[in-house]
Amino acid sequence: MEFIDVIKSRRSIRGYSDRNVEDDKIEYVLECARLAPSWMNKQCWRFVVVREREGIEALAKASIINRWLRKVPVILVACADPLSSSKKNDMEYFEVDVAIAMEHIILAATDLGLGSCWIGEFDEKKVKKALEIPPRIRVVALTPIGYSVQNEGILEKGRKIIARSTKRKSLREIVRYEKW
Ligand SMILES: Cc1cc2nc3c(=O)[nH]c(=O)nc-3n(C[C@H](O)[C@H](O)[C@H](O)COP(=O)(O)O)c2cc1C
């Protein structure tokens, strides 16, 4: 796909078929994450690939608004080791590092025809307990990966309202030139 088509065709996908996701595709998106930039090239990210039903169910239960995750085939859990990053201007760079890597995953998945959805609403303690993640490691985000199915039922419509529409602000609203 042309790069702009990858960007334009990416959507948050919340309905997945039970079709298996090939191992080499999971490896490919993880490889794309591995190549992301990071603070001082410390590569603080760590990923947990969850395919077993027990883990998927536990992750779905770790969220209030994302119970739909129980039906997805794979969840990638993006974690960080904060000791391999830094803090500047009151900003935790491990969050930035992992966010960049996660977007590489999401765009790579889109390019392969796979759906994904950034998941930020979860109880970190529950996720860590379910996946036996060590205390110092932080969980930054999750994403399901899989083949999408059309899902325009009432639940999906409600979700879109809660998660806001997919409309974007214009460049005029978000860009200033030279000074604020
Ligand atoms: C930091 C972050 C957290 C998000 N958390 C969730 C979430 O918990 N559940 C969900 O369904 N979507 C979540 N989303 C997806 C957004 O709702 C979605 O990106 C936005 O509505 C725009 O829609 P689009 O991704 O289809 O373009 C999150 C997105 C971001 C960037």
Side-chain angles (χ1 to χ4, degrees):
M1 243 192 266
E2 290 288 329
F3 184 65
I4 190 66
D5 296 326
V6 176
I7 299 276
K8 284 183 173 171
S9 60
R10 186 214 54 80
R11 279 281 164 272
S12 291
I13 302 298
R14 300 181 180 92
Y16 291 84
S17 84
D18 49 18
R19 183 175 157 192
N20 177 55
V21 182
E22 299 84 344
D23 286 342
D24 59 325
K25 292 190 176 172
I26 295 296
E27 201 166 311
Y28 174 77
V29 301
L30 291 168
E31 173 65 8
C32 291
R34 193 179 73 83
L35 299 175
S38 61
W39 167 259
M40 303 263 291
N41 197 26
K42 297 272 191 195
Q43 305 162 60
C44 70
W45 43 65
R46 306 287 181 269
F47 299 95
V48 185
V49 181
V50 182
R51 281 184 179 274
E52 287 176 5
R53 293 323 305 169
E54 192 189 347
I56 301 258
E57 297 269 347
L59 293 175
K61 282 190 192 146
S63 170
I64 296 166
I65 64 166
N66 297 302
R67 294 292 163 108
W68 55 271
L69 284 172
R70 71 186 188 281
K71 291 191 178 158
V72 311
V74 183
I75 300 179
L76 300 186
V77 182
C79 306
D81 182 345
L83 293 184
S84 292
S85 200
S86 187
K87 189 175 179 173
K88 292 278 169 244
N89 297 316
D90 253 344
M91 206 184 305
E92 293 283 4
Y93 275 178
F94 75 82
E95 295 172 19
V96 179
D97 293 341
V98 174
I100 295 168
M102 190 65 147
E103 191 61 6
H104 278 207
I105 287 178
I106 282 176
L107 294 178
T110 307
D111 195 35
L112 294 178
L114 289 165
S116 61
C117 181
W118 191 291
I119 301 292
E121 194 286 307
F122 58 84
D123 181 327
E124 188 184 11
K125 280 195 192 123
K126 287 185 184 169
V127 171
K128 288 179 74 163
K129 187 163 184 239
L131 305 184
E132 298 176 16
I133 295 171
R136 93 157 181 270
I137 301 296
R138 298 296 310 274
V139 182
V140 178
L142 281 54
T143 182
I145 298 282
Y147 294 95
S148 72
V149 285
Q150 283 290 35
N151 185 359
E152 270 300 316
I154 191 137
L155 270 177
E156 179 58 9
K157 283 189 182 133
R159 232 176 255 130
K160 272 195 178 155
I161 292 165
I162 293 166
R164 308 186 59 168
S165 79
T166 53
K167 270 174 67 178
R168 295 297 192 266
K169 293 179 174 152
S170 67
L171 280 181
R172 275 174 65 96
E173 289 172 281
I174 61 171
V175 182
R176 275 104 175 125
Y177 290 94
E178 314 308 342
K179 289 191 177 169
W180 183 269

